[in-house]
């Protein structure tokens, strides 16, 4: 009997030891994963991606686009040092920032820090995203600019806001960067709306309030912008290369509908788009090695990467989706990147297959 009491008394001690040992192993594993993920989040990957454009003029062969997206006001290293380390001092033809660079905080300093480390004398185009503050000033603010203060600060730093078509030319070859929404925008109705708004403000007899004055400046600017868009469209030819820039990626249905909305012979048409640049999803934000994204809004659990990141083919048009640099508000319960390094991409246009 005494021996039996000794045996039964020893078993709980061994059980507690096993559980403590298992807990220690799990804590070490968790700490290791945390350190690994921390290192990933502070290391920017740099990818070179060739894009085949069969009708590419020889003058535009090897045109390079540094594509960045979704910084969302983050700093990847001190003053974007991790981005600088990734992109180095390589010269590029242009830089495209495809939305949500400032983010809802409105803090423009991280973007200014990013601009400071980009290749010097390089054109920088920025398309605001739906998570950025409003682009235009429709209430009184600190300047007489039609742009919101954050946008004007970027313009002053040398950024071109992509709210109308922008062209670059080499010899006689021309490449256009065009906000995607312009392909389906009814310019006539938009123009009439601003004309009516301006007429109403001009009809006010008493002095305009500061907010009304801002609205008048905005309406005048928008009418001027619409006219510049019309001039740009008139200057396009079917031989020009068109690159559409959007924040959220397009789907095959989006491209099909956009193509059907206008005659195929119309120059400003998705029939003539060679590449779509997008961002939006931050590659799913939380990813599992060897598996991919865990979840994405509107796409559900374990969506295919072709909808989230990298190169895809949509009804005859290439689309490249940037993995992003920061954290997206699309994932409120996943407020950091997991096993998903911030990324910069160099896109190289070529008439041949690589």
């Amino acid at each position: 009997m005494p021996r039996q009491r000794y045996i039964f008394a020893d078993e709980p001690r061994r059980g507690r030891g096993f559980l403590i040992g298992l807990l220690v192993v799990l804590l070490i594993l968790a700490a290791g994963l945390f350190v690994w993920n921390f290192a990933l989040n502070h290391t920017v990957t740099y990818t070179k991606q060739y894009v085949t454009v069969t009708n590419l003029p020889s003058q535009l062969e090897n045109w390079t686009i540094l594509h960045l997206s979704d910084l969302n006001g983050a700093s990847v290293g001190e003053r974007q040092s991790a981005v600088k380390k990734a992109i180095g001092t390589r010269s590029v033809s242009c830089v495209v920032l495809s939305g949500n660079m400032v983010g809802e905080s409105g803090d423009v300093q991280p973007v200014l820090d990013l601009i400071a480390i980009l290749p010097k004398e390089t054109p920088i185009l920025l398309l605001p995203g739906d998570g950025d503050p409003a682009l235009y000033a429709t209430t009184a603010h600190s300047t007489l600019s039609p742009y919101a203060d954050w946008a004007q600060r970027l313009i002053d730093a040398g950024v071109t806001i992509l709210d109308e078509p922008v062209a670059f030319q080499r010899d006689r070859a021309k490449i256009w960067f065009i906000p995607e929404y312009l392909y389906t925008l009814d310019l006539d109705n938009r123009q009439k709306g601003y004309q009516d708004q301006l007429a109403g403000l001009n009809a006010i007899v008493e002095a305009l309030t500061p907010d009304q004055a801002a609205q008048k400046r905005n309406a005048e600017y928008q009418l001027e912008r619409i006219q510049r868009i019309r001039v740009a469209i008139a200057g396009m030819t079917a031989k020009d290369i068109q690159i559409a820039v959007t924040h959220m990626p397009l789907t095959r249905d989006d491209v099909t509908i956009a193509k059907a909305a206008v005659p195929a012979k119309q120059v400003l048409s998705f029939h003539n788009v060679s590449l779509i640049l997008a961002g939006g999803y931050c590659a799913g934000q939380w990813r599992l090695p060897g598996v991919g994204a865990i979840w994405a809004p509107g796409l559900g659990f374990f969506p295919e990467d072709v909808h989230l990141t990298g190169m895809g083919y949509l009804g005859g048009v290439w689309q490249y989706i940037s993995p992003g640099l920061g954290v997206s508000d699309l994932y409120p319960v996943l407020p950091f990147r997991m096993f998903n390094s911030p990324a910069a991409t160099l896109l190289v246009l070529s008439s041949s297959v690589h």
Side-chain angles (χ1 to χ4, degrees):
M1 289 297 290
R3 184 176 183 180
Q4 289 178 343
R5 284 196 299 271
Y6 175 80
I7 292 173
F8 282 106
D10 190 52
E11 286 180 353
R13 294 194 191 99
R14 290 204 303 266
R16 285 194 297 271
F18 172 77
L19 290 176
I20 292 171
L22 179 61
L23 180 60
V24 170
V25 170
L26 291 175
L27 288 173
I28 292 172
L29 179 62
L33 291 175
F34 175 83
V35 171
W36 180 27
N37 193 58
F38 181 86
L40 287 175
N41 283 342
H42 289 77
T43 303
V44 176
T45 62
Y46 182 84
T47 303
K48 188 175 184 179
Q49 173 73 57
Y50 282 92
V51 183
T52 302
V53 180
T54 54
N55 63 330
L56 188 71
S58 59
Q59 299 95 325
L60 297 176
E61 188 71 29
N62 293 321
W63 180 279
T64 51
I65 305 165
L66 179 60
H67 184 201
L68 306 170
S69 191
D70 295 277
L71 181 67
N72 275 301
S75 292
V76 192
E78 185 177 357
R79 295 192 176 182
Q80 312 299 358
S81 59
V83 183
K84 182 177 181 179
K85 183 177 180 180
I87 66 176
T89 57
R90 305 172 180 89
S91 64
V92 296
S93 304
C94 66
V95 178
V96 174
L97 311 176
S98 59
N100 283 20
M101 297 299 291
V102 174
E104 293 182 351
S105 71
D107 182 7
V108 75
Q109 190 58 50
V111 185
L112 292 172
D113 292 339
L114 179 68
I115 292 166
I117 59 95
L118 294 176
K120 302 300 181 185
E121 309 301 325
T122 302
I124 302 172
L125 309 180
L126 181 143
L127 178 85
D130 54 6
D132 287 317
L135 177 60
Y136 303 111
T138 56
T139 58
H141 65 132
S142 60
T143 73
L144 297 180
S145 170
Y147 289 102
D149 290 341
W150 70 269
Q152 188 59 51
R153 288 186 66 187
L154 293 179
I155 292 169
D156 293 342
V159 172
T160 297
I161 301 296
L162 195 61
D163 58 355
E164 57 190 76
V166 174
F168 300 104
Q169 190 163 339
R170 283 184 180 172
D171 297 329
R172 295 185 179 181
K174 193 177 291 185
I175 181 170
W176 291 89
F177 291 81
I178 303 170
E180 174 270 331
Y181 63 83
L182 289 185
Y183 286 92
T184 53
L185 182 65
D186 188 332
L187 285 176
D188 291 337
N189 281 340
R190 185 61 62 92
Q191 179 174 324
K192 185 178 185 306
Y194 283 117
Q195 286 172 337
D196 291 345
Q197 182 184 17
L198 186 58
L201 290 166
N202 285 334
I204 297 175
V205 177
E206 62 273 15
L208 298 179
T209 67
D211 285 350
Q212 288 172 331
Q215 292 162 16
K216 181 179 179 179
R217 285 194 300 272
N218 179 64
E220 291 172 338
Y221 175 78
Q222 295 301 334
L223 290 171
E224 294 169 0
R225 183 173 74 95
I226 289 170
Q227 182 57 30
R228 290 196 300 271
I229 292 170
R230 293 187 188 278
V231 171
I233 294 172
M236 295 178 188
T237 72
K239 293 182 179 180
D240 296 344
I241 300 302
Q242 294 182 32
I243 295 179
V245 185
T246 179
H247 175 56
M248 293 304 294
L250 302 187
T251 66
R252 187 178 299 273
D253 287 345
D254 293 331
V255 173
T256 301
I257 292 169
K259 284 185 174 182
V262 298
K265 64 181 180 180
Q266 183 170 311
V267 176
L268 185 70
S269 162
F270 260 86
H271 293 282
N272 295 323
V273 172
S274 298
L275 174 66
I276 304 164
L277 298 179
Y281 284 114
C282 290
Q285 199 135 302
W286 279 27
R287 298 177 65 86
L288 293 177
V291 177
I294 296 175
W295 176 82
L299 300 174
F301 288 95
F302 303 107
E304 296 180 50
D305 269 354
V306 70
H307 303 301
L308 293 172
T309 183
M311 189 68 77
Y313 198 61
L314 306 177
V317 183
W318 290 110
Q319 175 172 252
Y320 185 80
I321 308 172
S322 169
L325 288 169
V327 175
S328 172
D329 291 332
L330 291 174
Y331 308 89
V333 296
L334 313 175
F336 60 92
R337 297 175 79 106
M338 185 175 77
F339 306 133
N340 180 11
S341 292
T345 306
L346 182 71
L347 297 160
V348 184
L349 306 188
S350 177
S351 57
S352 58
V353 178
H354 288 260

